[in-house]
Amino acid sequence: MDRVKLFNDFLSQKGLKSTSQRKLILETFLESESHYSTEELYLKLRKEHPRIGYATVHRTLKLFAECGIAAERNFGDGQTRFESVHADEHHDHLVCTNCGLIIEFEDQKIEELQKLVASQHNFKIENHRLELYGLCEDCRSQK
Amino acid sequence: MDRVKLFNDFLSQKGLKSTSQRKLILETFLESESHYSTEELYLKLRKEHPRIGYATVHRTLKLFAECGIAAERNFGDGQTRFESVHADEHHDHLVCTNCGLIIEFEDQKIEELQKLVASQHNFKIENHRLELYGLCEDCRSQK
DNA sequence: TATCTTTCTGAAAATTATTTTCATTTTCTT
DNA sequence: AAGAAAATGAAAATAATTTTCAGAAAGATA
Ligand SMILES: [Mn+2]
Ligand SMILES: [Mn+2]
Ligand SMILES: [Zn+2]
Ligand SMILES: [Zn+2]
């Protein structure tokens, strides 16, 4: 896997150490394409590895973000979430306010229009967030 | 002022009371078009009204949001901000990551494309947030 | 391999924004 | 004016995140 190598390179470049915990956390993080909060990943890990510490999980997720293999997200539920980043890909989110479902999308026209808006204000965009909150297909029909 | 009436109607409809603090906080909140955190508004109020309590300011801002005359925003600095809402208007934000400047914009094409994305996923949008982070004109030239 | 230095870990404490509690005060209805 | 209901402000509680710190582990060096 490529992101495992990216992380290992990041660690050695920073003089940080490769530990069993970091390997485990990265492996589990990459296993699913979830948008994990620290709490959620910690609880998942603890099932198989009861000795793991919350602080270690959190610190490691922050390292992933610093390294660039993960991105921090906030969907307004008061918890920072981390999602795996795929090389140079970008996407935005549809978030179901009823069941929490997260759908990813990318719309090139919207991206272009954002750049246009920024240039109209002499603004240099570093990053952006676009989130559409509402009801997903299932939750709509259940009403 | 219209939003003063809106808030008073909201209070009486909910069986809540009109107090000197609520009047003062609303008046000060409406005075400027800022994006206030509780802390910021509290500090501003305290200069003239040292007896005002932080909790009262915060509770009142939440009431404004519930009433619909204010909206809660999060620009990623860890503080919830409140801004005055103008009837049925909507806007998104450019946020300077260097000086904190906030520029408001509305782009009808982007809004349309958002609806299109949502409909492609059978998603019913309730609300959305679009924030473009980067450097404002001044901060760009100072680099 | 043994030793040494540095970093890491996990538990607990600290921090920070927000929310709640509660005794007292204020509003506003009889 | 009296009573009921709600509001206030200070302090405590809560919750997510971050930091501290003593002991453990990694990995460089001899
Ligand atoms: Mn995502
Ligand atoms: Mn605004
Ligand atoms: Zn749903
Ligand atoms: Zn700026």
Side-chain angles (χ1 to χ4, degrees):
Chain A
M1 266 202 204
D2 198 39
R3 278 168 294 170
V4 173
K5 179 163 180 1
L6 274 173
F7 186 56
N8 287 333
D9 290 354
F10 170 81
L11 289 180
S12 55
Q13 197 212 329
K14 284 246 175 186
L16 304 179
K17 289 173 177 170
S18 177
T19 68
S20 63
Q21 289 92 336
R22 284 175 177 165
K23 284 177 208 156
L24 170 67
I25 294 166
L26 179 54
E27 188 184 318
T28 308
F29 178 69
L30 294 177
E31 239 164 43
S32 90
E33 284 296 321
S34 302
H35 297 75
Y36 280 116
S37 66
T38 300
E39 178 81 12
E40 285 169 0
L41 185 53
Y42 167 67
L43 290 175
K44 175 164 192 178
L45 285 161
R46 212 175 52 167
K47 287 178 188 165
E48 299 273 323
H49 307 270
R51 306 297 317 278
I52 198 111
Y54 180 98
T56 301
V57 176
H58 189 258
R59 281 185 286 232
T60 304
L61 284 170
K62 297 291 269 187
L63 281 181
F64 294 169
E66 195 186 336
C67 159
I69 63 175
E72 294 189 36
R73 302 285 184 193
N74 254 284
F75 296 133
D77 65 349
Q79 293 208 296
T80 299
R81 291 171 183 284
F82 295 83
E83 68 170 329
S84 166
V85 167
H86 298 72
D88 292 324
E89 272 181 40
H90 165 78
H91 63 261
D92 294 300
H93 296 90
L94 286 153
V95 182
C96 180
T97 51
N98 187 242
C99 71
L101 175 72
I102 295 169
I103 299 173
E104 302 180 337
F105 72 90
E106 174 158 32
D107 187 301
Q108 205 47 54
K109 283 189 206 154
I110 292 178
E111 302 286 323
E112 291 301 327
L113 288 168
Q114 287 175 4
K115 285 177 195 160
L116 188 58
V117 166
S119 71
Q120 283 163 355
H121 291 89
N122 290 311
F123 210 94
K124 178 166 165 43
I125 297 184
E126 288 166 345
N127 55 73
H128 71 266
R129 52 189 292 178
L130 171 57
E131 290 139 24
L132 311 179
Y133 296 91
L135 291 179
C136 72
E137 186 164 16
D138 286 356
C139 289
R140 284 176 81 172
S141 57
Q142 280 164 32
K143 289 272 160 160
Chain B
M1 265 197 204
D2 200 38
R3 279 169 293 169
V4 173
K5 179 164 179 5
L6 274 171
F7 186 55
N8 286 332
D9 290 354
F10 170 80
L11 289 180
S12 56
Q13 198 212 329
K14 283 245 173 185
L16 304 178
K17 290 172 178 171
S18 178
T19 67
S20 62
Q21 288 91 339
R22 284 176 179 165
K23 284 177 209 157
L24 170 68
I25 294 166
L26 179 54
E27 188 185 319
T28 308
F29 177 70
L30 294 178
E31 241 163 42
S32 89
E33 283 297 322
S34 302
H35 298 75
Y36 280 117
S37 67
T38 300
E39 179 81 13
E40 285 168 0
L41 184 53
Y42 167 66
L43 291 175
K44 174 164 192 178
L45 285 162
R46 212 175 50 168
K47 287 178 189 166
E48 299 273 322
H49 307 270
R51 305 296 320 274
I52 197 109
Y54 180 99
T56 301
V57 176
H58 189 259
R59 279 185 288 230
T60 304
L61 284 170
K62 299 290 270 187
L63 281 182
F64 292 170
E66 194 186 337
C67 160
I69 62 174
E72 295 189 36
R73 303 284 184 195
N74 257 282
F75 297 131
D77 66 348
Q79 292 208 299
T80 299
R81 290 172 184 283
F82 295 82
E83 69 170 329
S84 167
V85 167
H86 298 72
D88 292 323
E89 271 181 41
H90 165 77
H91 63 259
D92 293 303
H93 296 91
L94 286 153
V95 182
C96 180
T97 52
N98 187 243
C99 71
L101 175 73
I102 296 169
I103 298 173
E104 303 182 337
F105 72 91
E106 174 157 32
D107 187 300
Q108 205 47 54
K109 284 189 204 152
I110 293 179
E111 303 286 322
E112 290 302 325
L113 288 167
Q114 287 174 4
K115 286 178 195 160
L116 188 59
V117 167
S119 72
Q120 283 163 356
H121 292 87
N122 289 311
F123 211 93
K124 179 169 165 40
I125 296 184
E126 289 167 344
N127 56 74
H128 71 267
R129 53 188 292 178
L130 170 58
E131 289 139 25
L132 311 179
Y133 295 91
L135 291 179
C136 72
E137 186 166 15
D138 286 355
C139 290
R140 284 175 78 173
S141 57
Q142 280 164 31
K143 287 273 158 162

